[in-house]
Each structure stands twice: as structure tokens, then as C-alpha cells.
Amino acid sequence: MSDTDSAKSPKPNYFTSIISCKCPRCRRGKMYQNPLSVSSKKNMAMPGECPVCGQPMELEVGFYYGTGYVSYAITIAISVATFIAFWVLYGISIDDNSLYIWLVLNIVVLVLMLPYIMRLSRTLWLSFFVSYDPEWQTKEPPKPERIVKEQMGNW
């Protein structure tokens, strides 16, 4: 891509790049090697660096441990959304089993969304530390300082 092409192409939207699990630096490269699946190993397989801009996907050993906090916040947001939707559409009362019906429905929704929530939390976590670079075509990505090659992939 030439400089004139990059000047013409608009900056990709942050929200859509996060939802579609794109690299936060260029917002074009795919962060995952395989399509979304139920298999955890295939679902979470990531390249070492972005295929488009070369951004390293793991900034330090154990980098993605923090995604537990992000996925917790996402599941709370989904639970609140399903609660409000259930309350508006069906109604909730302490006099019947509607609260338990919502609880079961919420569990089913969260279990079905788990593979995507895991990907989304990793994408968000990386975007907290790597920002969009408008000159990603010409500038090299910064190399991680705290990488121990022997320890990579031990999480």
C-alpha cells in the first residue's frame, strides 16, 4: 500500500475493529489464525505477530493473564443486558420462578458466547496497551522488551 493509498483510506473504526478481532495497531490484520469454533485450542490460536503490520501479539510472558478481568466485565455487561431485556419482555417477580428462568437463560447465553468472549477479551486487552498507528505502513512496530523466548506459550 502506497502513501497515497493510506491517505485516501479512512482510519478504521475502533469499535468495529475490536468486535471483528483485528490488530489494534493497524486495525486490519486478523488476530486469530482460525475461524471461531468450539475447540479451545483452535479458537485461541494466534500468530506471533500481525500478518499485516508485524505488531507482536504477546508483549511479555503471561501477557494475557489480565484478560480474566476483561472477560469478567464483559460477562457482567451481558448479564445486565439479558436481565433488563428479560425484565422488559417477560417481567420479573419474586412471587414466581421468573428469576430462575432468567438465571438459566443467562447461563445458556454466556456458555454459548464463551468462545467469542474469550477472543474479545484478548483483543480488548491488547488494545489497552497498543494504540492505532496512522503510519503503520512505514514505521516498524516497537519490539517487546520483556520477552523470554524460552517462556513463550507457557500460560
Side-chain angles (χ1 to χ4, degrees):
M1 190 179 266
S2 68
D3 288 335
T4 57
D5 291 340
S6 65
K8 291 178 187 176
S9 65
K11 174 181 172 180
N13 185 304
Y14 175 75
F15 184 71
T16 55
S17 67
I18 292 297
I19 295 297
S20 58
C21 298
K22 301 289 185 181
C23 169
R25 182 171 178 258
C26 65
R27 296 185 184 170
R28 288 170 174 80
K30 292 182 180 181
M31 281 188 59
Y32 297 95
Q33 295 174 341
N34 302 312
L36 196 59
S37 70
V38 179
S39 171
S40 182
K41 278 196 176 207
K42 284 185 173 183
N43 193 37
M44 300 311 290
M46 298 173 72
E49 55 188 38
C50 174
V52 176
C53 69
Q55 170 65 42
M57 291 295 163
E58 194 161 353
L59 303 182
E60 63 184 40
V61 176
F63 175 70
Y64 289 108
Y65 282 144
T67 60
Y69 299 107
V70 178
S71 64
Y72 178 73
I74 291 170
T75 57
I76 293 297
I78 291 170
S79 296
V80 167
T82 60
F83 182 80
I84 291 171
F86 190 80
W87 189 7
V88 168
L89 297 174
Y90 186 77
I92 292 186
S93 171
I94 57 171
D95 297 329
D96 58 7
N97 290 334
S98 59
L99 191 59
Y100 296 112
I101 294 169
W102 166 77
L103 190 59
V104 169
L105 177 73
N106 189 54
I107 290 170
V108 168
V109 167
L110 290 176
V111 167
L112 291 175
M113 290 186 69
L114 183 63
Y116 181 69
I117 291 171
M118 291 170 58
R119 281 188 172 198
L120 184 62
S121 64
R122 275 193 178 193
T123 306
L124 272 169
W125 186 251
L126 185 61
S127 76
F128 294 158
F129 297 95
V130 177
S131 59
Y132 178 74
D133 185 3
E135 300 171 357
W136 63 268
Q137 295 99 338
T138 57
K139 287 175 36 182
E140 286 288 317
K143 298 295 177 199
E145 298 172 2
R146 297 188 285 182
I147 291 291
V148 179
K149 296 280 186 195
E150 298 82 32
Q151 296 295 321
M152 295 301 286
N154 283 344
W155 47 272

